[in-house]
Amino acid sequence: MTLTIVLLGAAALIGIGLYGALSQQSFVMLMMGLELMLNGALLAVIGFWSLSLGGMPEGQLLAIIVMAVMAVEMAIGFALVVAVYRKRQADMTESIGTLKG
């Protein structure tokens, strides 16, 4: 597998995630689009690490840190979605005019 193929796969994931994040109205689908974009970025980082740097340990550490940040980001995002739903009974992005009060 070459670096070009890995980067094309990463670009495809980022593109699909961007489309999903911009075109969906549901909070959950928006979060899934963001997660796909982060997975594409992580795939690009791992591809660069593995295929160009010769597998140095710094790349593994960066990938683990990115995965931990992704998990924290999704947990906080879903907690916010649940809080908004409980407060306003809104599950679509257009249902919320402002985030005041």
Side-chain angles (χ1 to χ4, degrees):
M1 184 172 286
T2 64
L3 184 60
T4 306
I5 294 172
V6 173
L7 291 179
L8 283 174
L13 279 176
I14 291 172
I16 292 168
L18 184 64
Y19 174 74
L22 294 178
S23 67
Q24 300 298 321
Q25 295 178 354
S26 171
F27 287 123
V28 175
M29 295 302 288
L30 178 79
M31 298 288 289
M32 288 176 65
L34 293 174
E35 186 73 19
L36 275 175
M37 287 191 292
L38 286 173
N39 282 332
L42 182 62
L43 180 64
V45 167
I46 290 173
F48 275 123
W49 164 72
S50 176
L51 298 172
S52 65
L53 296 177
M56 295 175 60
E58 290 84 9
Q60 283 182 338
L61 181 63
L62 181 63
I64 290 170
I65 290 171
V66 168
M67 282 190 269
V69 168
M70 285 172 42
V72 169
E73 178 252 339
M74 282 293 119
I76 291 171
F78 282 122
L80 288 172
V81 168
V82 169
V84 166
Y85 183 76
R86 287 183 180 169
K87 178 91 172 165
R88 303 215 178 155
Q89 298 296 318
D91 61 347
M92 297 290 190
T93 55
E94 294 176 349
S95 302
I96 298 178
T98 65
L99 291 178
K100 279 188 180 178

